[in-house]
Amino acid sequence: LAEVGWRYFPVAYIAYHRQFYGQKKHWQLYQFGVGQGESIAQMYNAFQRYGMKIPRLVGFDSFEGLPEEAPRVKRPVGWKAGTYDYSKQHVLSGYDCKGGLTGTGS
């Protein structure tokens, strides 16, 4: 799994549970903070790659990047206010919205 990264974990999780629930269960994946949208795109591609029914993929983002941290809150190195502040247009430019991937927000 190291060569494909963490984005394949949701795909493997759904594949495992489909053994018990079958294709009838409607799956949805939510991502809070989409950055450039690469993670959702890679999960979408993973479902296609393995010939799996693609669940509804929903991304939420403020398009303002990370907020300022509260005093005394530790954060990873390199994370500061405004990091990941990609515009809605930038994020959506990587998707074929006719394929069902659409965005909302400001």
Side-chain angles (χ1 to χ4, degrees), residues 12-27 52:
Y13 176 85
I14 290 175
Y16 174 78
H17 286 282
R18 281 185 175 161
Q19 296 175 67
F20 305 106
Y21 298 112
Q23 295 291 329
K24 294 179 183 175
K25 183 170 176 68
H26 180 73
W27 291 91
M52 296 173 62

Side-chain angles (χ1 to χ4, degrees), residues 83-96:
T83 303
Y84 307 112
D85 63 341
Y86 301 102
S87 71
K88 177 182 174 182
Q89 292 76 23
H90 175 80
V91 173
L92 292 179
S93 69
Y95 295 107
D96 173 8

